[in-house]
Amino acid sequence: MQPLHDDLHRTAHERQLDLTRRRLFALGGKTLAAGIGTAALGSLLGRQALASTSGPERHWAPKAKRVIYLHMEGGPSHLDLWDYKPDLRKRYNQDLPESIRNGQRLTTMTSGQARFPVAPSMFQFTRYKNRQDGVWISELMPHTGSVADELCFLHSMHTDAINHEPAITFCQTGHQQPGRPSLGAWTSYGLGSANANLPTFCVLITQGIGNMQALSARFWGSGFLPSEHQGCRMRSSGDPVLYLKDPAGVSRSDRRAMLDLVKEFNAEESAASLDSETRTRIAQAEMAYRMQMSVPELSDLSDEDDETFALYGEDARTPGTFAANCLLARRLSERGVRFVQLYMRGWDQHNNLPGEMRAQSKAVDQAQAALIKDLRRRGLLDETIVVWGGEFGRTVYSQGDLSETNYGRDHHPRCFSMWVAGGGFQPGISLGKTDDYGYNIVERPIEVHDLHATMLHLLGFDHEKLVYPFQGRDYRLTDVSGKVVQEIVKGSVA
Amino acid sequence: MKLTVLSLLVLVASCATPSGDAPATTVEMAAQARAALVHVEQPDPGSPLLQVDTAAIADSVDDVKARSLLAPLASQIVDLSLARTHVSAASADWLLQCQSLRRLDVRACTRVDDAFVRAIVALPQLEELVLARTATTDASIDALLASSSLKRVWMWKCAVTPAGLARLAARDGLLVDAGLRPSDSSAEVEPKPEFVNLLPMPGEPALEAALVPINVNCPVTGAPVDAKRTRTVNGRVVGFCCNNCPKTFDADPAKYEAALPKP
């Protein structure tokens, strides 16, 4: 019998060839064409043998090897964090001019409001040095400000969706309707695993302080891609991964013997049915077996010193906090995990924005800055893409009552801010501008598809060519859209 | 020069097969390394060179294991991570066969020391060297300075002194990262925000006076006007007592118009 982990290393291409070769053998080599075909396949296999360990061949040499995506679920207010609009303070409580809103649809949470009073941010901003003439960041994010020279701000993101569910689905899968593979699944499919002892795509969730929206597992699903590419959620309490421990009385050698036997059955089934999911099943069982050893080592923070906790904040000692998850993300990345998806819930500040934003920001600011610093000093930042952002922005007008110390903001898809860092992104710059009200984009609009296209570009893929055939159509992460944002790619002539 | 010729030979040897293809022996060796859970991939489709990472089995990798798994691939490795393994200067001899190596990551390899660094800086293509959390000291600085190919070195938590780091960082074209950050990265802080309602609405006359409400009492309730709750009604600035009154006003403007002062 072949060594067990072989299945894991078989490329999708090899699996496809296997299928084709079996079909050719089924023809019995009766025709000359079939014979030639078999020979050609043999040589193809040789060509592929050194390509990436799974999935399709890269289109060019990548700048990044992995991704950490910090998704701020709920849609944090760009106006109170990153998009500096000091002149708005002279328009406090004025009505938002119709020329600015311009008929933009509103959610039903504010469409019935009599007025749309301008709510300037009550937070003080500081200009931090970067590689341009500095970037203005709110007092809520001082630690993040301290690494501004590593960050690339995108002030002109926009999305099509106005409510959480479709907007998060769009950010995570490139499509508003559920069912497509997530960004992490595409990355796993494209890059394959770089550490056969851990899942290629891991998901870490932090419960926020503010209003929280549902977080469905399909945000990290694999859609029509083989299910080995779905994200593996790591839990914050109890076992990080469920059902990983052997039950009492089952030894590791018993487990091995059981897996070997089941694998034999599955291999027979796979040979008969050619069902790729059976192979996935074998590979996943083997992965789980190895994770019994690798996950406890991963989640054991006893080898982290006090300096680490000083850097990330003492919160990092409490599992499930954003700080602990940032630290875990670093540990996963340094072990070669391709895609780490963090969710920070609770950024949906319809009311009581100032108080909730203070608490939310305090929970993420130090840790996300620490992640940047820590990746950098370990030589990992250059090859790791870090993305920070929500699914949309928030309105400049107040939802509900406006006072100098309290206001709320509704969903705003027309513009929002994100930042990216490392992995071949241009550090220390800002791109794109919004109007005086932070309501419309006036310079260099960037759609979600563009960000996805740029991320794939840095990972070595042409987003128009990284496809997966499903139901008669070649599907892409970027569907029929997306342009690489050359201005933010390091070393690129924009 | 000798090294350049050597690397050229390696390149010629590796290009013996058409672009992107690897010799059969390398394919076998790569398969062997993968079977031991070493990550081996060909990142650039236009080049036969390999990226190798031992992350999955780092804790079990020592000099003997590293040599047996990776030395056969040496001439084709362009990017090698041995991070968190137990390799030491005893691995230097086979590492020196990695003539195409551009990036070497020995982060957190506590047995990597000055002897290791002194040996591997002879690699002719080595541009990036991650030495963070290794046992290297100031005795490595001269060796690092002697390399003509090095562009970036990471030395966070090594036993190197600030003076040693400064000497290294002074070298043109060499970026040194020792995990130090500028103590103050802020350039200016804006004054404490104050909210006023001063600017005219777009398209209105740019007169501050234009924003003083024409009424003293709210047209809906008769209560005193809150100066912050104003809006324009037919070109006039009308003040209200609270946020709810404009809604009531809008529902029947004619009814409340009478309560406003005549021009």
Side-chain angles (χ1 to χ4, degrees):
Chain A
M1 190 175 257
Q2 289 277 313
L4 287 161
H5 35 255
D6 264 13
D7 271 324
L8 198 76
H9 292 293
R10 289 167 56 85
T11 67
H13 181 76
E14 280 167 358
R15 291 180 193 181
Q16 221 160 8
L17 285 178
D18 190 30
L19 195 74
T20 321
R21 191 165 51 187
R22 279 174 200 284
R23 288 196 176 144
L24 277 169
F25 286 149
L27 288 175
K30 282 175 193 157
T31 65
L32 183 63
I36 292 169
T38 313
L41 278 170
S43 86
L44 262 175
L45 268 174
R47 288 176 75 95
Q48 281 287 313
L50 271 179
S52 62
T53 49
S54 122
E57 203 171 330
R58 308 278 173 87
H59 302 126
W60 44 71
K63 291 195 161 114
K65 292 176 182 164
R66 61 192 86 85
V67 180
I68 300 174
Y69 194 127
L70 312 174
H71 186 87
M72 302 296 130
E73 186 252 4
S77 162
H78 54 296
L79 295 160
D80 296 281
L81 296 177
W82 319 113
D83 203 356
Y84 182 49
K85 300 291 172 194
D87 286 349
L88 275 186
R89 303 207 180 105
K90 296 177 190 153
R91 299 189 184 281
Y92 174 78
N93 201 22
Q94 288 185 359
D95 290 329
L96 179 69
E98 188 46 46
S99 61
I100 298 295
R101 193 186 132 195
N102 207 11
Q104 156 80 353
R105 68 175 168 157
L106 306 172
T107 77
T108 50
M109 290 171 280
T110 51
S111 57
Q113 274 188 203
R115 297 186 60 218
F116 298 104
V118 168
S121 175
M122 63 171 293
F123 299 108
Q124 198 172 11
F125 277 62
T126 298
R127 186 162 65 92
Y128 290 92
K129 292 171 194 160
N130 67 357
R131 298 176 202 217
Q132 291 173 333
D133 55 356
V135 56
W136 287 93
I137 296 175
S138 147
E139 63 179 289
L140 296 177
M141 296 283 185
H143 290 94
T144 311
S146 74
V147 293
D149 60 334
E150 295 292 349
L151 310 182
C152 170
F153 280 93
L154 311 173
H155 286 305
S156 50
M157 293 297 305
H158 63 102
T159 176
D160 299 337
I162 198 167
N163 278 317
H164 300 285
E165 187 76 9
I168 303 173
T169 309
F170 185 40
C171 270
Q172 301 289 309
T173 72
H175 202 259
Q176 287 191 51
Q177 269 81 47
R180 301 277 178 100
S182 58
L183 185 51
W186 278 109
T187 306
S188 167
Y189 166 68
L191 297 181
S193 168
N195 181 335
N197 282 340
L198 287 170
T200 314
F201 174 17
C202 291
V203 181
L204 308 170
I205 298 169
T206 302
Q207 308 303 330
I209 293 104
N211 188 23
M212 287 189 278
Q213 299 296 327
L215 202 56
S216 324
R218 57 184 166 69
F219 293 147
W220 52 92
S222 56
F224 42 71
L225 293 176
S227 52
E228 68 196 76
H229 299 298
Q230 69 187 304
C232 171
R233 181 183 168 186
M234 299 204 155
R235 290 148 40 94
S236 53
S237 59
D239 294 342
V241 180
L242 281 177
Y243 316 121
L244 208 52
K245 270 189 201 152
D246 288 319
V250 176
S251 70
R252 198 154 162 80
S253 58
D254 290 345
R255 173 65 70 192
R256 180 71 268 165
M258 184 277 275
L259 285 174
D260 285 346
L261 186 64
V262 171
K263 195 205 164 189
E264 275 184 50
F265 288 131
N266 277 337
E268 276 176 33
E269 170 62 23
S270 170
S273 69
L274 303 182
D275 180 3
S276 69
E277 282 302 303
T278 311
R279 284 189 181 284
T280 297
R281 178 79 193 153
I282 298 170
Q284 296 297 71
E286 289 303 321
M287 169 68 81
Y289 178 73
R290 291 192 303 273
M291 279 168 65
Q292 290 186 317
M293 302 299 278
S294 62
V295 169
E297 188 270 337
L298 167 84
S299 48
D300 174 14
L301 303 184
S302 61
D303 60 341
E304 298 290 347
D305 58 16
D306 287 348
E307 191 267 355
T308 302
F309 293 104
L311 184 72
Y312 284 81
E314 286 300 312
D315 270 3
R317 295 187 196 272
T318 312
T321 59
F322 190 75
N325 284 347
C326 279
L327 179 54
L328 204 51
R330 187 264 284 160
R331 291 174 67 88
L332 286 162
S333 293
E334 69 181 342
R335 282 161 179 75
V337 169
R338 295 290 198 184
F339 204 102
V340 187
Q341 175 71 58
L342 270 73
Y343 289 96
M344 174 67 187
R345 305 181 68 191
W347 287 100
D348 193 20
Q349 275 74 44
H350 289 281
N351 316 100
N352 301 322
L353 180 142
E356 284 189 10
M357 286 278 286
R358 267 199 192 93
Q360 287 282 121
S361 302
K362 193 165 183 294
V364 303
D365 176 43
Q366 182 176 352
Q368 67 202 18
L371 180 62
I372 299 288
K373 291 175 190 169
D374 208 9
L375 289 173
R376 188 188 139 125
R377 65 194 188 178
R378 285 165 199 267
L380 292 165
L381 185 59
D382 283 358
E383 46 185 42
T384 308
I385 293 174
V386 183
V387 181
W388 189 102
E391 62 267 27
F392 40 56
R394 301 205 83 89
T395 55
V396 66
Y397 62 80
S398 179
Q399 173 172 354
D401 269 352
L402 167 67
S403 75
E404 290 192 8
T405 52
N406 201 3
Y407 46 92
R409 298 190 193 278
D410 199 1
H411 308 166
H412 188 63
R414 270 199 185 177
C415 67
F416 61 107
S417 299
M418 291 182 74
W419 55 257
V420 290
F425 279 113
Q426 192 77 48
I429 63 163
S430 301
L431 185 68
K433 278 199 177 71
T434 56
D435 63 18
D436 293 345
Y437 286 85
Y439 199 94
N440 300 294
I441 293 165
V442 293
E443 203 177 291
R444 191 57 175 98
I446 305 169
E447 55 174 338
V448 173
H449 292 304
D450 298 339
L451 178 65
H452 289 168
T454 312
M455 289 171 71
L456 288 182
H457 176 87
L458 293 173
L459 291 166
F461 294 104
D462 178 342
H463 71 102
E464 294 186 354
K465 293 184 186 150
L466 182 67
V467 296
Y468 194 85
F470 177 64
Q471 292 183 338
R473 186 188 151 190
D474 278 348
Y475 279 88
R476 291 164 28 191
L477 169 63
T478 50
D479 204 46
V480 293
S481 309
K483 282 198 175 71
V484 174
V485 185
Q486 294 292 350
E487 298 98 311
I488 59 174
V489 173
K490 216 179 194 173
S492 160
V493 184
Chain B
M1 191 60 203
K2 187 180 157 199
L3 289 170
T4 318
V5 171
L6 194 69
S7 58
L8 201 66
L9 279 174
V10 170
L11 202 66
V12 169
S14 52
C15 292
T17 48
S19 165
D21 285 10
T25 49
T26 315
V27 175
E28 280 164 29
M29 291 306 170
Q32 202 176 323
R34 280 178 188 159
L37 303 191
V38 174
H39 176 65
V40 181
E41 73 169 83
Q42 183 187 352
D44 185 346
S47 154
L49 297 177
L50 302 176
Q51 183 218 321
V52 174
D53 191 340
T54 55
I57 50 165
D59 199 40
S60 72
V61 174
D62 55 13
D63 291 311
V64 175
K65 190 163 181 178
R67 177 192 305 273
S68 73
L69 288 173
L70 305 180
L73 295 169
S75 66
Q76 283 192 269
I77 303 179
V78 65
D79 180 345
L80 174 62
S81 173
L82 294 166
R84 300 162 46 247
T85 64
H86 305 287
V87 296
S88 72
S91 285
D93 61 337
W94 74 262
L95 278 170
L96 283 174
Q97 293 163 29
C98 301
Q99 294 281 306
S100 302
L101 193 64
R102 287 202 199 103
R103 180 182 166 95
L104 175 62
D105 186 347
V106 286
R107 148 180 52 96
C109 297
T110 48
R111 295 179 62 206
V112 161
D113 55 8
D114 298 321
F116 179 94
V117 174
R118 276 197 294 264
I120 57 105
V121 289
L123 286 166
Q125 315 265 358
L126 191 65
E127 292 177 359
E128 300 189 355
L129 180 58
V130 186
L131 294 171
R133 301 182 71 203
T134 58
T136 47
T137 73
D138 282 6
S140 287
I141 303 295
D142 281 329
L144 292 168
L145 286 170
S147 163
S148 58
S149 57
L150 265 186
K151 289 179 179 161
R152 298 196 65 172
V153 184
W154 284 264
M155 301 205 80
W156 171 63
K157 276 202 180 170
C158 295
V160 181
T161 63
L165 284 174
R167 219 154 63 78
L168 197 58
R171 157 85 182 276
D172 265 356
L174 182 66
L175 283 172
V176 184
D177 191 328
L180 307 170
R181 303 276 317 169
S183 55
D184 183 20
S185 52
S186 65
E188 73 184 281
V189 183
E190 68 164 350
K192 204 75 190 155
E194 275 182 33
F195 301 115
V196 284
N197 193 334
L198 286 178
L199 290 186
M201 296 287 281
E204 285 182 5
L207 288 172
E208 288 184 11
L211 286 166
V212 176
I214 56 164
N215 53 325
V216 181
N217 295 318
C218 175
V220 179
T221 63
V225 161
D226 179 344
K228 285 174 190 143
R229 307 191 193 280
T230 63
R231 57 175 304 199
T232 50
V233 177
N234 298 328
R236 298 158 302 165
V237 176
V238 175
F240 295 91
C241 63
C242 66
N243 263 350
N244 291 326
C245 284
K247 197 173 178 178
T248 318
F249 185 91
D250 282 347
D252 191 359
K255 177 178 170 188
Y256 300 108
E257 188 68 37
L260 292 174
K262 303 286 171 288

